[in-house]
Amino acid sequence: MKKLIKTVAALSATAILAIPANMTAFAYRVDTGKSFSNPLINYDFSAGRGQQWTYQSSQDNLPALTKNILEAKGKYTYYATTDTRCNEYGNCDMFALLPLDVATTAKINNARPYVDNLSVKSKAGNYYALVMEYEDVSRTDSHAKRPSIKVNDKCCDYGLRMLAGPYLQNILNKFYFDNPDDINYNYIKQHNGYTGNIYLDDYYVAGMRITSTDRYTTFDEPVLEQKPSGKGFRTKITFHISNPVPEKTTYLGVSGSTSGNYTYDVLANMKLSCNGDTSSGVKDYIAIGGISKKTLTVPVSDINEYNNLYQGLISCPGFVTRLRGNAAEYFYDNRFNAYKRVGNTLYIYTGKKAGIGDRKWTNGWGKEKFEAFFSSGGRDILGHCDSLKIYLQNVTTVRFYCDSTPKSEGTQYYSCDASYLLGRIERG
């Protein structure tokens, strides 16, 4: 009998030591005083202990992190919550609650920095993903829609659960797009990109960020907002898709097909990073499900153009055969000087909007028109092109054309010996 009494006394002492001083077993708030411990303690002995929190009776025994302790600790790592006998809770169990002064639906984004500062690991050193979830236990959200409903301000509407493995993945599979049908090439081409949102209802993972393996998609930081129904919250992440199509290139002097399509994947292999994602139970279960990559179908003609009418543009120091940017803009606006060589003849083409202001260029013909071209910038254009001067040493005849366009050679207005033109270029 004496042995039994000693055993009971020893067990009682152990239980008392497990409870921080000045703390009751009911409705306690973790503050900067003696109520704080690491790990936190769950005093719930009901059938749902460890996991249940959506009734006041269970909330009375769970730790609730006050604003004071959250601000005092800042970025902080806790051990997994334990029961009164120091038995550690784990995957799917509750870590703590967030009181109404920390987290309410109406101002839920204010709670995100506090949650982002929290990390939780087991005694073995394995981290959990800390997931904030929602339930209208206090009836605050219901009261906002129906003022006759009484609010219980002693209750919390937001709890933090420790998750890993398939349980975490199940939540991440619930993401969804706002307007998925708009994510197509025609829209992106018209708007030079796309900006949209992905959502996750009623959950937020501490420290979460979204990434994608394609180089066209970027993601903003998450924002927590009230759901349109007014009850509960959702995580919103805005993403941006840049136009994946490279600057269109026109290839001169070659033929090619512009039929068919290219494809580009955007929003590919989306994954989540979060506090604690170094542990295998978390990092192996952070794929974003519920939404999938989008494949953009782009016509080849939007990327490549071929022009076999000319072999290149006359430029410095040599010919240009691939046109992009300003060069392509000027070409399609008929502001160019192009060339083509056929056997021993070199053809030089001046666009119909070349900008030569000399009256003799406009009204003259033959030698007179050539002299107007030559004296109004033509000598510099031809003389600074080393490739052209090499050609002039290997052909016999040069023919000049005016009013040329990307689709028409224009009209021949002058012809001369190659040696004559080379001499004129050299001596002015």
Side-chain angles (χ1 to χ4, degrees), residues 299-370:
V300 173
S301 58
D302 279 10
I303 299 175
N304 297 328
E305 186 70 46
Y306 299 94
N307 187 306
N308 203 27
L309 191 61
Y310 309 109
Q311 293 176 354
L313 299 187
I314 301 170
S315 185
C316 176
F319 298 134
V320 176
T321 59
R322 293 193 301 174
L323 309 184
R324 289 182 180 176
N326 289 338
E329 179 185 346
Y330 295 155
F331 178 70
Y332 286 107
D333 194 37
N334 304 318
R335 293 181 285 165
F336 64 85
N337 289 279
Y339 84 94
K340 178 172 65 177
R341 177 181 175 177
V342 179
N344 289 323
T345 302
L346 180 66
Y347 298 84
I348 295 178
Y349 306 91
T350 298
K352 64 189 307 182
K353 292 174 64 176
I356 300 175
D358 192 301
R359 182 180 58 83
K360 293 180 180 180
W361 169 262
T362 304
N363 301 319
W365 202 254
K367 176 80 167 163
E368 185 180 49
K369 193 176 185 73
F370 167 75

Side-chain angles (χ1 to χ4, degrees), residues 71-379:
E71 291 177 346
K73 291 295 182 182
K75 189 172 288 292
Y76 193 75
T77 299
Y78 288 83
Y79 286 103
T81 304
T82 70
D83 63 17
T84 57
R85 295 179 176 83
C86 299
N87 296 312
E88 188 176 54
Y89 287 107
N91 194 12
C92 296
D93 292 328
M94 296 304 298
F95 165 67
L97 306 180
L98 297 175
L100 295 180
D101 64 332
V102 176
T104 58
T105 299
K107 298 180 179 180
I108 189 58
N109 199 52
N110 293 342
R112 185 172 68 88
Y114 294 124
V115 177
D116 283 346
N117 278 336
L118 302 175
S119 298
V120 179
K121 65 179 179 180
S122 67
K123 292 175 183 176
N126 298 315
Y127 282 86
Y128 297 102
L130 196 59
V131 180
M132 183 169 70
E133 55 189 43
Y134 163 83
E135 187 71 31
D136 189 21
V137 184
S138 74
R139 312 299 286 170
T140 299
D141 290 353
S142 297
H143 172 79
K145 300 192 74 172
R146 292 179 56 191
S148 61
I149 297 176
K150 187 177 180 180
V151 174
N152 184 349
D153 58 11
K154 293 183 179 180
C155 290
C156 304
D157 291 341
Y158 288 87
L160 300 170
R161 193 181 295 274
M162 302 177 289
L163 286 176
Y167 301 102
L168 172 63
Q169 190 65 70
N170 182 59
I171 288 175
L172 301 187
N173 288 343
K174 297 178 180 179
F175 274 96
Y176 61 93
F177 285 119
D178 51 358
N179 297 299
D181 292 339
D182 286 344
I183 308 175
N184 58 72
Y185 173 61
N186 287 335
Y187 183 99
I188 289 174
K189 179 182 178 181
Q190 181 180 353
H191 297 85
N192 196 33
Y194 179 88
T195 295
N197 302 299
I198 57 174
Y199 296 99
L200 179 64
D201 288 345
D202 297 323
Y203 295 104
Y204 175 71
V205 185
M208 67 180 287
R209 298 291 185 271
I210 304 296
T211 59
S212 173
T213 56
D214 71 89
R215 59 192 179 93
Y216 313 109
T217 311
T218 58
F219 299 86
D220 293 348
E221 288 188 7
V223 173
L224 307 186
E225 63 180 24
Q226 189 172 31
K227 287 200 293 189
S229 66
K231 190 171 183 179
F233 83 110
R234 63 185 182 181
T235 298
K236 179 180 79 172
I237 300 175
T238 300
F239 64 91
H240 310 275
I241 302 174
S242 61
N243 190 339
V245 178
E247 191 172 15
K248 187 174 181 178
T249 301
T250 296
Y251 297 90
L252 299 180
V254 294
S255 299
S257 173
T258 57
S259 63
N261 302 289
Y262 290 113
T263 58
Y264 297 87
D265 289 336
V266 296
L267 295 159
N269 303 309
M270 286 180 288
K271 289 187 177 181
L272 173 141
S273 62
C274 62
N275 296 350
D277 62 9
T278 55
S279 292
S280 60
V282 178
K283 70 179 180 181
D284 293 339
Y285 296 91
I286 54 176
I288 301 300
I291 53 181
S292 57
K293 70 179 181 182
K294 297 289 184 177
T295 299
L296 308 180
T297 302
V298 180
V300 173
S301 58
D302 279 10
I303 299 175
N304 297 328
E305 186 70 46
Y306 299 94
N307 187 306
N308 203 27
L309 191 61
Y310 309 109
Q311 293 176 354
L313 299 187
I314 301 170
S315 185
C316 176
F319 298 134
V320 176
T321 59
R322 293 193 301 174
L323 309 184
R324 289 182 180 176
N326 289 338
E329 179 185 346
Y330 295 155
F331 178 70
Y332 286 107
D333 194 37
N334 304 318
R335 293 181 285 165
F336 64 85
N337 289 279
Y339 84 94
K340 178 172 65 177
R341 177 181 175 177
V342 179
N344 289 323
T345 302
L346 180 66
Y347 298 84
I348 295 178
Y349 306 91
T350 298
K352 64 189 307 182
K353 292 174 64 176
I356 300 175
D358 192 301
R359 182 180 58 83
K360 293 180 180 180
W361 169 262
T362 304
N363 301 319
W365 202 254
K367 176 80 167 163
E368 185 180 49
K369 193 176 185 73
F370 167 75
E371 292 297 340
F373 163 75
F374 200 76
S375 62
S376 299
R379 177 185 177 276

Side-chain angles (χ1 to χ4, degrees), residues 407-425:
K407 294 183 178 180
S408 170
E409 293 181 338
T411 305
Q412 181 180 330
Y413 69 88
Y414 182 66
S415 177
C416 67
D417 291 339
S419 58
Y420 169 76
L421 178 61
L422 183 60
R424 285 292 307 272
I425 291 173

